[in-house]
Amino acid sequence: MRIFRLIRIARVAYLYGLDSLILEHELEPGLRTRALYAAQRLMFWRNIDAPRAVRLRQALEDLGPIFVKFGQLLSTRRDLIPLDIADELAKLQDRVPPFSSELAIAELEKAYGRPVDQVFASFDRKPVASASVAQVHFAVLQEKDGSHEVAVKILRPGIQPVIEHDIALLQVAASLLETLWADGRRLKPREVVAEFDKYLHYELDLMREAANCSQLRRNFAESNLLILPEVHWDWCTTSVMVMERMHGTTISRIAELREKGVDIPRLARAGVEIFFTQVFRDGFFHADMHPGNIFVATDGPNKGSYIALDFGIVGTLSDSDKNYLAQNFLAFFRRDYKRVAEVHIESGWAPKGTRVDEFEAAIRSVCEPFFDRPLKEISLGRVLLRLFQTSRQFNVEVQPQLVLLQKTLLNVEGLGRELDPELDLWQTALPYLERWMSEQLGWLALENNIKREASNWAQLLPTLPRLVHQALNATISPARNLEIERMAGELRGMRHLLWFALSVAGIALTIALLQ
């Protein structure tokens, strides 16, 4: 079976002239032209007059949904692929025919162990959306507290072995590309395939997606910026997800949103705030924010709020990632390019021996032309591309955990450009970043840290005399007390916090006495 699929892939690659992508790089111009001409004459050649990026997109569409999704992911790696290919692959959409309603119902009955009409008061047999790995039906769920309009997401039957099969072939292709193509190693094809494999398997577990939705909903429970559906956990499995049906208008229908009284410029600014809130406050963000997954509420008290759908891919950031990004963004928005260079070196992303002044000058040459311009006059994608090219000159490694963030940032730029081309992304984001940095590094951060550690201090401080006494005895006795060692280790780990707290208390007392 695998050999036939491999033959099919090779045939499609040949028909769309993908081998010419390698010939274009590997041969001298004159020799390249003669080689392509000879190949056309000797074999049943195809028309390769279309641009290379167009041919690559068409080939991926021809190979099916898994390759389409791979192309979508590849389009976000502007640090690895040429810009013309990234732009063309960004046009890929999940134009996947739905599977039959009979199969959908069979999957539901398999998951629930009972007929569908015993679970749902009504079930719409016609799907409202169909993608590579799942499709969605509307239904009415009857529960003890009443009936609920729901959306039922069903995993495509038999998709798991298809994915495993195609991923294995992609891994082989990536290894060959890295071995045979001179530029292949720099493009890191195996890392890209591994990344794709990881996120695609996340999407195959609908319980994981339901958990992502629930977390995002909890994060924005007190906000009217972003609305998320409620998950009906009793009816969720790894192959079925049941969630609240959301009513709204897709964000790409701007004229319709205006007719319904939605403030479009405000909507654009809210999108920027949602992005920075998810990234810097929560470190947990929706990483698939293309227009098909974003709706806008047009009625009721939440009118003008964003509605997010499809939670198969989310990104997470550690505290150190958030701090690094915030310092970079803030320095960038303030045009403090020296600080941008210093943060890269301090974080270890750039080699320690990198000259700050040279790195600063290179960053300035990329970023300075794009300031004080609305979105309609700039392309964040092009800025990122030039930054990645500059980074390679200084041996800066692109961090894997930030790839999804880059993808999401490009989605936000695209949405902002559609909604309000006059939006000044820098001025919209700067106040939020300054507030976040103040919360993380200022007096408010100190207060929050003290509150968070107070319970530990309350337990530890009364035991200090006993710990000191026992520690002195332990130095005399050869026997080692593991509990004392553990508590002493905790004390050593907290000593800087204790000294800092005591110093702050001393300063406050001194000021009070002077007054």
Side-chain angles (χ1 to χ4, degrees):
M1 177 66 180
R2 182 171 294 184
I3 186 64
F4 292 112
R5 180 61 168 161
L6 192 58
I7 292 172
R8 157 78 173 153
I9 293 171
R11 179 177 178 275
V12 169
Y14 166 74
L15 288 175
Y16 286 98
L18 300 189
D19 52 321
S20 67
L21 297 180
I22 297 177
L23 292 175
E24 287 173 3
H25 285 268
E26 296 300 315
L27 301 179
E28 294 297 325
L31 182 59
R32 177 173 67 232
T33 302
R34 292 194 295 274
L36 292 175
Y37 179 80
Q40 285 178 313
R41 291 299 180 188
L42 292 172
M43 306 177 74
F44 295 102
W45 197 253
R46 64 289 185 209
N47 182 5
I48 59 171
D49 293 334
R52 61 178 185 174
V54 174
R55 287 185 279 118
L56 178 58
R57 174 182 59 80
Q58 292 172 341
L60 293 174
E61 288 177 333
D62 199 351
L63 287 170
I66 303 306
F67 285 83
V68 168
K69 189 169 282 291
F70 180 66
Q72 290 175 335
L73 175 70
L74 201 61
S75 71
T76 69
R77 296 307 306 265
R78 293 170 180 263
D79 57 317
L80 300 180
I81 63 176
L83 187 59
D84 63 321
I85 293 179
D87 287 340
E88 187 66 29
L89 294 184
K91 299 177 182 178
L92 287 171
Q93 298 294 329
D94 281 337
R95 305 184 187 97
V96 183
F99 53 89
S100 69
S101 57
E102 288 75 17
L103 275 177
I105 290 174
E107 286 296 305
L108 290 174
E109 292 180 347
K110 177 183 176 182
Y112 297 141
R114 68 181 79 176
V116 170
D117 58 11
Q118 292 184 14
V119 178
F120 301 105
S122 66
F123 181 82
D124 190 346
R125 297 170 66 90
K126 182 179 179 181
V128 294
S130 179
S132 302
V133 299
Q135 71 184 32
V136 179
H137 295 254
F138 287 149
V140 175
L141 181 64
Q142 190 66 46
E143 294 189 303
K144 294 179 181 179
D145 59 346
S147 60
H148 303 274
E149 288 187 325
V150 295
V152 183
K153 188 169 187 177
I154 307 169
L155 203 65
R156 187 173 288 270
I159 192 65
Q160 180 84 32
V162 173
I163 286 177
E164 299 292 352
H165 185 264
D166 281 354
I167 287 293
L169 293 177
L170 282 172
Q171 290 169 339
V172 172
S175 297
L176 290 174
L177 184 65
E178 191 168 299
T179 302
L180 301 177
W181 191 12
D183 210 27
R185 185 164 297 180
R186 182 183 64 80
L187 299 180
K188 302 179 181 178
R190 287 188 294 178
E191 291 184 19
V192 174
V193 172
E195 180 185 318
F196 176 60
D197 185 15
K198 178 175 67 174
Y199 291 119
L200 193 55
H201 277 84
Y202 287 169
E203 291 189 78
L204 292 177
D205 185 353
L206 296 189
M207 284 293 286
R208 187 185 188 103
E209 179 173 345
N212 293 339
C213 175
S214 182
Q215 180 66 54
L216 285 167
R217 177 182 169 88
R218 186 160 56 251
N219 290 347
F220 282 84
E222 304 301 325
S223 171
N224 61 355
L225 288 174
L226 180 64
I227 305 171
L228 298 112
E230 179 183 0
V231 175
H232 293 269
W233 285 106
D234 291 342
W235 306 105
C236 291
T237 70
T238 55
S239 61
V240 179
M241 177 181 172
V242 179
M243 56 189 153
E244 176 186 2
R245 177 178 175 178
M246 308 301 289
H247 296 274
T249 301
T250 181
I251 199 167
S252 60
R253 298 178 181 173
I254 299 173
E256 186 176 338
L257 291 173
R258 282 200 180 96
E259 289 177 3
K260 294 182 178 181
V262 175
D263 185 339
I264 300 300
R266 176 183 174 278
L267 192 66
R269 293 193 299 272
V272 175
E273 183 173 350
I274 289 170
F275 170 75
F276 281 99
T277 299
Q278 290 185 73
V279 170
F280 292 110
R281 187 194 69 185
D282 305 327
F284 188 88
F285 58 94
H286 191 301
D288 202 13
M289 292 183 65
H290 63 75
N293 287 339
I294 305 295
F295 283 61
V296 179
T298 54
D299 297 303
N302 293 317
K303 183 176 180 178
S305 299
Y306 281 76
I307 300 172
L309 301 172
D310 196 343
F311 314 96
I313 302 178
V314 299
T316 58
L317 297 171
S318 67
D319 288 342
S320 59
D321 289 333
K322 290 191 292 183
N323 183 62
Y324 163 79
L325 285 168
Q327 291 196 54
N328 263 285
F329 272 120
L330 200 55
F332 177 70
F333 289 164
R334 291 171 173 171
R335 305 193 191 187
D336 186 354
Y337 305 117
K338 181 179 181 180
R339 182 56 188 156
V340 174
E342 289 173 345
V343 170
H344 273 73
I345 297 170
E346 290 169 4
S347 66
W349 289 18
K352 291 295 183 184
T354 302
R355 286 189 53 172
V356 174
D357 58 337
E358 292 181 356
F359 198 12
E360 174 192 358
I363 296 171
R364 180 184 295 108
S365 67
V366 172
C367 300
E368 193 65 22
F370 297 96
F371 273 101
D372 298 326
R373 294 186 181 184
L375 273 177
K376 68 178 180 180
E377 297 180 10
I378 64 173
S379 169
L380 207 55
R382 294 180 187 275
V383 176
L384 286 173
L385 178 68
R386 289 194 60 194
L387 280 174
F388 282 128
Q389 292 172 338
T390 300
S391 296
R392 277 200 296 269
Q393 296 173 11
F394 290 87
N395 297 316
V396 177
E397 295 186 4
V398 177
Q399 302 299 303
Q401 72 272 26
L402 300 186
V403 170
L404 279 180
L405 184 67
Q406 173 204 343
K407 172 182 181 292
T408 307
L409 187 57
L410 293 175
N411 288 148
V412 170
E413 179 205 14
L415 287 174
R417 191 185 302 277
E418 287 187 24
L419 292 171
D420 183 13
E422 301 295 335
L423 176 69
D424 189 328
L425 184 64
W426 326 122
Q427 292 304 315
T428 304
L430 182 57
Y432 184 87
L433 275 174
E434 289 178 333
R435 184 169 68 250
W436 186 86
M437 288 296 288
S438 174
E439 292 172 354
Q440 296 300 307
L441 302 178
W443 285 102
L444 182 59
L446 173 61
E447 179 183 348
N448 290 335
N449 286 331
I450 290 175
K451 288 179 180 178
R452 188 164 50 248
E453 297 290 343
S455 59
N456 293 330
W457 294 353
Q459 291 180 345
L460 185 61
L461 289 175
T463 66
L464 283 178
R466 178 170 57 84
L467 282 174
V468 172
H469 177 71
Q470 291 179 339
L472 290 173
N473 288 338
T475 59
I476 300 173
S477 172
R480 301 178 66 86
N481 188 314
L482 295 180
E483 179 63 17
I484 292 176
E485 288 185 1
R486 184 188 67 79
M487 297 184 74
E490 291 182 1
L491 180 60
R492 286 192 297 271
M494 294 178 65
R495 65 181 184 273
H496 63 288
L497 289 175
L498 289 170
W499 280 115
F500 186 63
L502 291 172
S503 299
V504 170
I507 293 170
L509 180 60
T510 302
I511 293 173
L513 291 174
L514 290 174
Q515 291 177 344

